[in-house]
Amino acid sequence: MKYSLRTKLTLSYIFIILLLVSLIFFFTNVVLEKYFQSYIIRQQEERNKEVVSLINQQYRDDVWNRDVIEDIGIYALENGLIVKVKDLKGNVIWDATVHNNGLCTQMLAHMAKNMESRYKNFDGRYVENSYPLYKDNLNFGVVEIGYYGPFYFNDSDLDFINSLNKVLIGIGLISVLLAVVFGTIMARRLSQPISRVIRATQIIARGDYRDRIVEESSTKEIGEMTSAINNLAETLEKQEALRKRMSLDVAHEFRTPIATLQSHLEAMIDGIWKPDAMRLKSCHEEVLRIGRMVRDIEQLAKFEGENLILNKEKVELSELIQTIVYNFESDFKNKGVELKVTGNKCIVSVDRDKISQVIVNLLSNALKCTPEGGTVEIKVAGLEKDAVIIVKDNGIGIEKEDLPYIFERFYRADRSRNRNTGGSGIGLTIAKSLVEAHRGKIEVKSEPGKGSEFTVTLPYS
Ligand code: ADP
């Protein structure tokens, strides 16, 4: 059986409160009452002694002051003590039972009733204590004090105990009520954001990633949970947008070469164009271009994946650059562009292949965009916190309006020219993904007609 958070919380509050009130109830009724009983017994003893001391003073010059003794006896009787005073020979000087026997029995019956109302099987009975009377160390008589024992509660004692219990029951009831109220409030505060998270995840599960939880919670874990769900929705939304854009971009990029191929082939089938070597070569180039694009898209999908795995190792950047430069040397020579390598040794912990790919992409772009007679310079510098690779050319440069977009996939600054150079607009996107996977950044400065400068910043580890 599953219970709601609200029921569980309220029940646990009530349980704790009931436990606490029962404990207090137990302690007051068992422990406190024990103290109260011994207090009552001590009080009884004190009262007896007081009566004895008062009577002791009523014997002077072998004469009993019977009037005062009677007053004391009546006063004692009113307080639950049955007093009997005797001289040495056993003659009764004053006896409460003789004075008012009816009152004595009535009083004892009342006490027995009081005690039975409190304790079901109270073992109470009439108790009588004898106290000898002395004057100048000479015994002159005896006082017998009878009462209901071993102890008894008078009406006000009983009232005190009953009121205490009533107060405790009141506190218990109020506490249970408060537990229900607080339990409900707390449970609502906890369950509301949880229900909201459940709703949000259900919406996400349906494929709608736009919903965000805006309600703030003062509970740390709930705050973390809502922000985790928001992050999840945001990531899924981004992925979804990326996926849609990728499909649209791919379709858009393939439409032109395929249309060109289609029209060329149709013209040849219809006999408008002769399928000579030149026309077939042009079709072949178009097919090669589509092939390159497919390869680039595959590579991009691999590098742009969230879980791009880096096989990091210690790499000396100047050495790595030098190796790449060797492969490029003939291309640069053929085009008549000078390639300069400068900088000092710098060791970083990176994925060798992935950083090579970045450098290759930047160098091939620089070569493509630098006319004959131009210079491309690649420089490495070890700064305090990061290592920096700069690829600088004095080529055609990039227009200001193109600069913000050149790292976006399929973006080509000059489409007609790039068509000829065979670029698909993915090289820089791949470079950026790889650099960012290393927690680095890639930046560009460029001026049309003057050249461009790409700066890659990589943390040492
Ligand atoms: P592509 O495969 O077309 O080179 P990139 O993503 O590498 O795609 O580059 C995007 C665009 O940025 C290029 O089409 C080009 O117009 C511009 N670009 C890149 N590098 C340079 C550079 N060094 N000089 C001038 N333009 C550049």
Side-chain angles (χ1 to χ4, degrees), residues 365 368-369 393 397-398 406 411-413 418 423-428 452:
N365 275 351
K368 269 190 283 184
C369 303
D393 64 66
I398 305 163
I406 56 163
Y411 192 85
R412 297 190 293 258
N418 271 280
S424 56
I426 286 178
L428 286 179
S452 315

Side-chain angles (χ1 to χ4, degrees), residues 322-342:
Q322 197 54 60
T323 323
I324 298 167
V325 163
Y326 285 141
N327 294 334
F328 268 96
E329 245 170 10
S330 59
D331 293 340
F332 272 81
K333 222 174 236 154
N334 291 345
K335 198 175 174 185
V337 176
E338 191 192 353
L339 178 57
K340 278 204 265 179
V341 183
T342 53

Side-chain angles (χ1 to χ4, degrees), residues 73-98:
I74 292 169
Y75 173 75
L77 187 61
E78 282 163 3
N79 283 289
L81 303 176
I82 297 166
V83 175
K84 196 185 275 179
V85 185
K86 288 181 189 168
D87 64 11
L88 265 186
K89 287 175 198 146
N91 297 323
V92 173
I93 308 299
W94 194 81
D95 186 348
T97 50
V98 174

Side-chain angles (χ1 to χ4, degrees), residues 35 123 134 165 274 314 334 434:
Y35 281 108
D123 185 19
Y134 288 101
N165 280 336
K274 272 197 185 145
K314 293 254 179 270
N334 291 345
L434 294 177

Side-chain angles (χ1 to χ4, degrees), residues 1-9 11:
M1 184 139 171
K2 282 186 179 158
Y3 295 99
S4 71
L5 187 69
R6 189 156 145 181
T7 318
K8 270 192 170 176
L9 215 67
L11 284 179

